[in-house]
Every structure is written in C-alpha cells, then in structure tokens.
Amino acid sequence: KLNNQLAGLLLEHKDYLDSATEYERTAYNYPTHEDSASAGYAAVYAYREHLKVASQSQRNVIKREIIRSSLKFADYFPTNKNAAIVLVSAVDDLYALDDYEQTIVYGRRVIKAYPNADKKLLRSAWLAVAHASFDLTLYIDAEQAYVQTLALTDKKDKNYNVWTENLAASVYKQGEQARKLGNNKVAAENFLRVAEVAPNSKIRPTAEYDAAASLMLLKEWAQVTTVLERFRKLYPDNKLNKDITKKLAVAYKEDAKYIKSAEEFERIEKENPKDQALRREALNQAAELYVKAAEKKKALLVYTKIVDYFP
C-alpha cells in the first residue's frame, strides 16, 4: 500500500517515469493483492503520460517501455476489464514502430482471447493485422484480415472505402505474385477476383487489363474477349482502350472470329490517325480477314479505303 501511495504521489507531481516504475513494482513485485491490476494499468498510463513530455530522441525508447508494460499487464491480468484495451493499444504501437511480425502475433491474440470485446477494439486488432500482413507481403492473410475489418465497419464510415481499396490491393498483389512465378492461371483468377471483392475500387481497371494479358498467355481467347469487351463497356474513357482494341483484334483472330477481328482492326486504324504505318497495316489485316470470312463486300470497302488513304 505504501508503494502504491508513493507511485500515486509521483504521478500527482508529474514525475511520470518514476511513477510508472513504482506502479510496476506495486503490481508485479509483491504477492497478488487487491491493487495489483489497478497498479499495472496505472503504470501503462504513467508511461503514456511521460511519452507526451519526452524529448524526441527518447520517444521510441518510451514507446518500447509502454509496449513492454502493456504486454506484461495483459499477461498478468488477462481477465481484467482493461486488458483488451491495453493490448490493442500495444498492437497499434507495435505497428507504428514497424514491428510487423509482433503486430500480427499480438493482434491475433486480441482476436482469439477477446472475441466478445467491443467491436471497435476488434476492428482495430484486425486492421493492424491486415496492414502488417500487407507490409510483409502476406497478401492472403491481409485479404482475410481486411474482410474481417470491413465486416466490423459501417459502410457510412469515412474509412470504409479506404479499407476496401486496401482489400482490392491485397487481392491484386496475389495476382502479381503468381505472375512473377509464371503461374498465369492463378494470376488471372486473382486479377479477376478484384471485381468480386471490390467492384468499385480504383485498381479494378488495371486488374481487368492484367487478367486479360495473363489469359492471352494461356491462349484462353474466349475469356480474353469477354474480359476486354467488359473493360471497354465499363471504362470507355480509360487511356488503355487503344491497347484493348489491339488485344481484341488479336484475340478474335486467334479464336477464328474473323469478322469481329476485322472490325477491331478497322477500329485500330481510326484510333491512331497519326501513325500511318499502323493504319495501313491494320486496314490490310482487316481486308484479309473479311476475305477469309467470305465477306467480300466488306473486304472491297476496306481495300478501297487503302487506295484512297494511301494512293
């Protein structure tokens, strides 16, 4: 009791560091007593108060002390009403210090040990796990954690869209990882999943485009054209549309849909007014494809264009 009173007096006199030390002594250096838990909690509070007045050079040292004291409190008093709050705060501190592995360890501990904790606390734990997993390139874990974060978030929350973008990015990154490993099938599947998990995300157009590129390498021509036509419909003003036309022309040709391919080659000519060589080649391709499809009238019109445009 005397030790506890000493800690309290030091706190009153704003001697926060010594107060924290004495509160920890009160909490952990004596056999368990009625003030053990409250002293342990007060120690964390005193350290946090000291952080507010600590010099810049000492801030990271004090942050580590806060984390140490917080984790000790959660270990000694796991059923205390403040245990979940203290632990979540420590998880946030660990993430702020770029200690991603420990962030995940203790974030998951909160989730497992306190499933009935306040929704905001659980969301903070899931969010920390999500961010840390993403930073460690553990994108599958990040995706799962962002899903849980969003499930605990009201759609009207100002952060909902931000975290949805993070979810989309975690799925997109799985596609990138698969592509680097040469697994184009898995890459395409993940790129296409972006539309499922976050249909309005900013990264979706890029994901759709990359999905088509991976599918082209797999020679899945029917699926390529479906993805590209959808892209064109959804994003008519996207800067990638010229390239989409070129890819569609090739995909339809490979899929033996010669008329559609020819139409895309004609479109290439229209979309590139300054590139004379490309225009001429595109029209030649279109004419040949119309001939192959027995569309002689359309072929004649294109050949006439070639003569007119390039006399």
Side-chain angles (χ1 to χ4, degrees), residues 1-12 15-31 33 35-36 38-40 42-43 46:
K1 286 185 177 181
L2 284 170
N3 207 155
N4 203 32
Q5 287 174 355
L6 172 60
L9 286 169
L10 289 166
L11 185 64
E12 282 183 33
D15 188 351
Y16 300 122
L17 198 55
D18 285 341
S19 174
T21 301
E22 294 305 327
Y23 271 129
E24 284 196 307
R25 185 174 287 129
T26 303
Y28 308 117
N29 287 16
Y30 298 96
H33 52 88
D35 293 323
S36 294
S38 62

Side-chain angles (χ1 to χ4, degrees), residues 73-275:
F73 176 81
D75 284 339
Y76 273 76
F77 312 109
T79 60
N80 185 271
K81 64 180 182 179
N82 294 313
I85 298 170
V86 169
L87 197 51
V88 167
S89 296
V91 169
D92 289 338
D93 291 335
L94 283 164
Y95 183 74
L97 290 171
D98 298 336
D99 194 341
Y100 302 135
E101 291 180 353
Q102 292 300 300
T103 298
I104 293 170
V105 169
Y106 288 104
R108 291 194 177 280
R109 176 172 161 183
V110 172
I111 294 158
K112 184 177 180 181
Y114 306 103
N116 299 316
D118 181 81
K119 188 169 79 171
K120 288 184 178 179
L121 285 177
L122 285 174
R123 185 180 71 183
S124 291
W126 274 117
L127 184 63
V129 170
H131 286 338
S133 298
F134 191 93
D135 290 330
L136 289 174
T137 71
L138 303 172
Y139 298 121
I140 294 175
D141 291 346
E143 177 191 352
Q144 294 167 350
Y146 281 126
V147 167
Q148 294 296 331
T149 300
L150 289 167
L152 293 166
T153 307
D154 191 298
K155 289 185 177 180
K156 294 179 181 178
D157 189 302
K158 63 180 181 180
N159 290 309
Y160 191 87
N161 288 337
V162 175
W163 296 335
T164 301
E165 292 289 344
N166 291 345
L167 170 61
S170 66
V171 176
Y172 179 81
K173 286 291 186 180
Q174 290 174 56
E176 281 193 327
Q177 283 183 329
R179 183 170 59 189
K180 285 179 182 177
L181 294 171
N183 194 337
N184 289 299
K185 184 175 186 298
V186 173
E189 288 170 354
N190 280 299
F191 290 140
L192 291 173
R193 275 202 314 117
V194 172
E196 296 173 20
V197 302
N200 299 316
S201 60
K202 293 176 183 177
I203 204 171
R204 181 184 171 183
T206 302
E208 297 270 310
Y209 179 85
D210 287 346
S214 292
L215 290 166
M216 288 184 82
L217 293 171
L218 294 168
K219 299 184 178 181
E220 296 284 351
W221 304 116
Q223 198 175 356
V224 170
T225 55
T226 299
V227 172
L228 293 176
E229 288 286 7
R230 181 174 65 200
F231 185 102
R232 178 184 280 169
K233 183 178 179 181
L234 290 173
Y235 314 109
D237 300 319
N238 193 286
K239 64 181 180 180
L240 292 171
N241 265 311
K242 284 187 179 181
D243 203 44
I244 294 296
T245 304
K246 293 173 185 176
K247 282 181 163 53
L248 271 171
V250 172
Y252 279 131
K253 183 179 179 181
E254 294 292 338
D255 202 26
K257 293 180 178 177
Y258 301 126
I259 295 174
K260 285 191 172 184
S261 179
E263 290 170 350
E264 294 301 326
F265 276 112
E266 285 196 273
R267 187 167 181 156
I268 290 172
E269 185 272 326
K270 290 177 183 176
E271 289 178 349
N272 298 274
K274 295 181 180 179
D275 192 334

